[in-house]
Amino acid sequence: MRVDSLTSASGPTISWRAIECWGAGISLFVQAGAVLPLFLADADGALSDSARSILRVPCFPVYFFTIVILVRHFPQFILAIKRNFIVPLIIAAPFLSTLWSIDPTTSLRRAIGLLFCLLLSYVLAIRFTPRQLLFLLFATLGTCIVFSVVISVVSPSLATMPDGAMRGVFIHKNVLGWYASLTILVATAVLIDGTLGLRRTAFTLLAAALICLASSGSMTAIIATSVAYCLIGFYTLLQRSSSIGRVVIVLLFIQLSLGILISLHEFLVPALEALGKDATLTGRVPLWELVDRKISDRWMLGYGYQAFWTVTNPEATHIRLMLGWAAPHAHNGYRDILLSFGVMGMVPFSLMLPQAIRQGASLQCHDPQYGWLWLNVLTIMILVMNLTESIFFVQNDAIFILFAAAIIMFSLYAPVVSMNRSPPLQAPSHDLTSGLQIS
């Protein structure tokens, strides 16, 4: 990725490409919630209302940058919308939910924040190739992880949770675990790719991310990392196989995945009890039982976008009193979708996922030189994370922004690759989207 600087009679001028690169990197850093929230949060990672108000301020330059870039590349933006109508439908769902939301003001305010986040996903999808986005994340997430290691040495009390787990430059150990897991994927992808010439840096960053992952103690992140390495092997094998071999590999992978899920459902709790671990998954199991009852009460449309867990909702307060701890969300992204939008919101989301996974796998098989491997793995990693955490449809969150960007990028490039498999689609050196024409 080249950052150009043009010199004129009036002095140095920064190119638009430089603005895009730096703007996207800074935007992801801000949306990752690193550094600033840590200094505004309480010792346990809680944020007061005043702190949340302060944290909204850095988001406005990100929103402005997003709008400017989309206006400059409006035809490519429209093309991305045309090639995947489900994403705009999902963007509209939070706004529509204000019509039946139990807290319309909160739903509308948060829907606006989500809108700008998804618009940033469009910017990443239309202005960067997978390999360029990989480099961008390598620099951005790498900075967060390095800062986390440094601050844990310089100020251990600030970088540590009350229970002794490391949180680095984030407000909670789980958040550090998530980004450490993503950094491990990114560093591994850089090592596998080999074209960026950053092998030594990648090894260093991989070691730092492993330290952060282990020190955070986040089981969700550890499981997601393990899944990522399994997926790297799966997609690599898929790419190198013939057409019939790919069918066999996919069927075997699906059967293996189903077998693991069934085994976990049957034997996870007894195994945890035998090992002396928390069989409730840190209170998640009783939480899910209570949440499922509330979902069944309003299964069609839900309670409105992110309206259920507001402090003014007596049903959420009742759940927290029964649990004995303040659950901020359902700790399951799929359940939170049902709480927000009901079945009417889950259906389009469920239709979008298989299509995105299929398109991503097709791109990996037929256009591997673009560097699609890590994006495929990232997508399924986030799906796995949402089994025990709530990341879907979270506004001002870098992980969901990347998840949406991957899905948009799959649908944007898949038709081009299917029509141009010989010769394969090549990435333009300056204008990344010159090969994507509106049809």
Side-chain angles (χ1 to χ4, degrees):
M1 195 185 312
R2 189 164 63 103
V3 179
D4 299 316
S5 180
L6 304 179
T7 305
S8 62
S10 58
T13 303
I14 301 176
S15 71
W16 272 104
R17 186 56 186 157
I19 293 174
E20 290 175 354
C21 296
W22 282 98
I26 294 172
S27 296
L28 286 173
F29 184 85
V30 170
Q31 302 291 37
V35 183
L36 182 58
L38 176 64
F39 290 98
L40 296 175
D42 300 331
D44 59 353
L47 290 168
S48 63
D49 291 338
S50 60
R52 294 181 186 276
S53 299
I54 295 173
L55 290 176
R56 294 190 189 105
V57 175
C59 294
F60 290 111
V62 174
Y63 299 162
F64 178 75
F65 161 78
T66 300
I67 294 300
V68 169
I69 299 302
L70 288 181
V71 169
R72 280 183 53 83
H73 301 281
F74 194 70
Q76 287 74 30
F77 175 45
I78 296 300
L79 175 62
I81 291 176
K82 286 183 177 180
R83 290 189 174 170
N84 192 333
F85 283 110
I86 299 181
V87 175
L89 182 62
I90 289 176
I91 294 176
F95 291 94
L96 292 174
S97 73
T98 60
L99 299 175
W100 61 82
S101 174
I102 60 175
D103 189 347
T105 302
T106 298
S107 293
L108 179 60
R109 175 171 55 81
R110 294 180 177 178
I112 293 172
L114 180 66
L115 169 64
F116 281 100
C117 290
L118 287 172
L119 291 178
L120 179 58
S121 297
Y122 276 102
V123 170
L124 298 177
I126 67 178
R127 295 307 299 154
F128 296 90
T129 64
R131 184 171 287 112
Q132 291 168 332
L133 185 57
L134 173 65
F135 177 79
L136 191 69
L137 280 184
F138 185 78
T140 305
L141 298 185
T143 300
C144 295
I145 293 301
V146 170
F147 280 179
S148 293
V149 174
V150 171
I151 197 173
S152 67
V153 174
V154 175
S155 180
S157 59
L158 184 63
T160 304
M161 297 280 293
D163 61 359
M166 178 179 174
R167 64 180 176 185
V169 295
F170 300 96
I171 61 174
H172 198 275
K173 61 181 182 180
N174 287 340
V175 182
L176 173 64
W178 302 344
Y179 284 106
S181 179
L182 295 184
T183 305
I184 290 170
L185 168 62
V186 168
T188 303
V190 170
L191 290 172
I192 294 173
D193 189 287
T195 62
L196 297 175
L198 296 168
R199 295 184 67 86
R200 291 183 179 178
T201 307
F203 274 119
T204 303
L205 189 56
L206 180 60
L210 287 170
I211 292 172
C212 290
L213 178 64
S215 301
S216 71
S218 172
M219 286 305 301
T220 298
I222 292 172
I223 292 172
T225 304
S226 302
V227 170
Y229 279 101
C230 294
L231 290 169
I232 289 173
F234 167 73
Y235 279 108
T236 302
L237 186 61
L238 192 68
Q239 177 204 332
R240 296 176 180 177
S241 302
S242 61
S243 298
I244 298 177
R246 287 169 185 165
V247 175
V248 174
I249 291 170
V250 170
L251 291 176
L252 289 175
F253 184 78
I254 292 174
Q255 291 177 3
L256 180 61
S257 300
L258 290 175
I260 292 174
L261 289 174
I262 293 172
S263 299
L264 287 175
H265 182 269
E266 295 295 330
F267 304 113
L268 179 60
V269 172
L272 290 174
E273 290 176 342
L275 293 171
K277 300 293 185 181
D278 186 0
T280 67
L281 302 180
T282 324
R284 286 173 172 83
V285 174
L287 169 62
W288 293 338
E289 293 175 353
L290 295 172
V291 167
D292 288 344
R293 297 174 192 172
K294 300 303 178 182
I295 291 173
S296 64
D297 292 340
R298 300 185 65 162
W299 62 271
M300 181 61 72
L301 296 176
Y303 295 82
Y305 175 57
Q306 291 195 358
F308 182 84
W309 296 106
T310 54
V311 293
T312 57
N313 181 19
E315 296 184 76
T317 302
H318 177 68
I319 288 178
R320 289 167 177 142
L321 290 175
M322 291 188 66
L323 292 173
W325 57 282
H329 44 67
H331 276 283
N332 181 287
Y334 306 94
R335 285 180 167 86
D336 269 320
I337 291 176
L338 290 170
L339 282 173
S340 291
F341 312 117
V343 174
M344 295 300 293
M346 180 60 80
V347 168
F349 185 78
S350 300
L351 293 174
M352 179 183 69
L353 292 181
Q355 177 184 352
I357 293 172
R358 179 186 61 80
Q359 289 175 333
S362 177
L363 288 164
Q364 169 63 16
C365 292
H366 300 120
D367 193 34
Q369 78 277 4
Y370 246 51
W372 293 103
L373 174 63
W374 77 275
L375 268 181
N376 279 281
V377 175
L378 173 77
T379 303
I380 300 182
M381 272 184 70
I382 296 175
L383 295 179
V384 171
M385 286 181 177
N386 276 276
L387 293 173
T388 54
E389 298 292 348
S390 290
I391 301 173
F392 293 142
F393 293 95
V394 176
Q395 72 278 9
N396 300 322
D397 182 86
I399 297 179
F400 183 67
I401 290 171
L402 293 171
F403 177 75
I407 291 175
I408 295 168
M409 197 175 289
F410 291 154
S411 61
L412 183 62
Y413 281 87
V416 179
V417 173
S418 64
M419 293 183 297
N420 300 278
R421 289 182 182 174
S422 181
L425 182 67
Q426 298 295 326
S429 58
H430 295 289
D431 186 357
L432 303 178
T433 55
S434 61
L436 301 175
Q437 301 298 325
I438 296 179
S439 57

